[in-house]
Amino acid sequence: MTTKDRQLQHHEHKQSSASKTAIYFLLHDIESPSNVGAIFRCADALGCQHIYLSGSTAAPPNRKLRKASRSAELYVSYSQHQSYQEVFEILNTSKITTAALELSLQSEAIANFQKKPDSMGICLIPGSENHGLDNELLNACEAAVHIPMRGKNSSMNLATACAIAAYQLSTLD
């Protein structure tokens, strides 16, 4: 007799194996607590290593962030910094590639991105909800990647884009 399928309960979940590539996030001037919370939830689901928060980014403790994250901020490593330059110093010392998640003149489709052989991971840096990445931050990144849009809009929800990009990049050898 065949057993019928059913949805697993949370306590039945088994963690998957680690990603091939370590993923980090730098969230700079991401002001919506709901978006930040959703990125924490994504980071937990995908086994991201760390989230760096800088500028005016919403940070824990925050009720809206916690609701969107489903308390993932309790499990995902994160730190707060005054400036993104401070974070770049940490990333450069650790040989972590900085990649803007932004449609720009020089961005490449995320599926075409190749990490450097000596890279110890990739830090995704998405643009803010309303203004994207400012040119100074965009140009400070080692690379810029985008998710090709098949519809009429040129962008999607910030947390959704982060989830797609992090998953894609985590599978790189």
Side-chain angles (χ1 to χ4, degrees):
M1 181 172 184
T2 305
T3 304
K4 292 201 176 222
D5 202 7
R6 68 174 175 79
Q7 180 181 7
L8 292 177
Q9 300 298 312
H10 289 291
H11 70 276
E12 296 175 295
H13 161 74
K14 292 179 179 65
Q15 285 183 287
S16 296
S17 59
S19 304
K20 292 181 181 180
T21 298
I23 300 296
Y24 302 79
F25 283 108
L26 166 55
L27 305 180
H28 181 73
D29 291 340
I30 308 299
E31 296 180 358
S32 165
S34 296
N35 276 334
V36 175
I39 293 169
F40 266 94
R41 189 170 179 189
C42 161
D44 178 50
L46 296 176
C48 294
Q49 301 299 304
H50 192 82
I51 297 176
Y52 298 94
L53 307 172
S54 69
S56 61
T57 298
N62 181 294
R63 185 181 56 76
K64 288 182 180 179
L65 187 154
R66 175 166 275 187
K67 183 177 180 183
S69 77
R70 298 202 41 166
S71 298
E73 79 282 2
L74 301 174
Y75 314 114
V76 175
S77 172
Y78 73 92
S79 55
Q80 290 181 267
H81 304 268
Q82 291 296 317
S83 68
Y84 70 82
Q85 292 92 338
E86 183 182 322
V87 176
F88 270 55
E89 288 179 27
I90 296 166
L91 297 172
N92 289 334
T93 301
S94 303
K95 294 187 177 180
I96 297 168
T97 302
T98 54
L101 179 55
E102 186 73 86
L103 182 61
S104 70
L105 290 174
Q106 296 182 20
S107 64
E108 62 182 310
I110 197 159
N112 298 334
F113 180 76
Q114 305 259 323
K115 71 176 185 171
K116 295 183 287 188
D118 66 338
S119 178
M120 300 305 292
I122 300 168
C123 183
L124 275 171
I125 306 162
S128 70
E129 298 92 337
N130 297 319
H131 302 81
L133 283 177
D134 70 38
N135 286 334
E136 184 180 319
L137 177 51
L138 176 62
N139 286 301
C141 294
E142 296 171 76
V145 296
H146 65 265
I147 301 166
M149 297 289 118
R150 296 182 178 144
K152 301 282 186 208
N153 283 310
S154 64
S155 67
M156 64 178 67
N157 171 271
L158 180 69
T160 302
C162 285
I164 292 168
Y167 182 83
Q168 175 79 34
L169 295 176
S170 72
T171 63
L172 294 176
D173 283 323

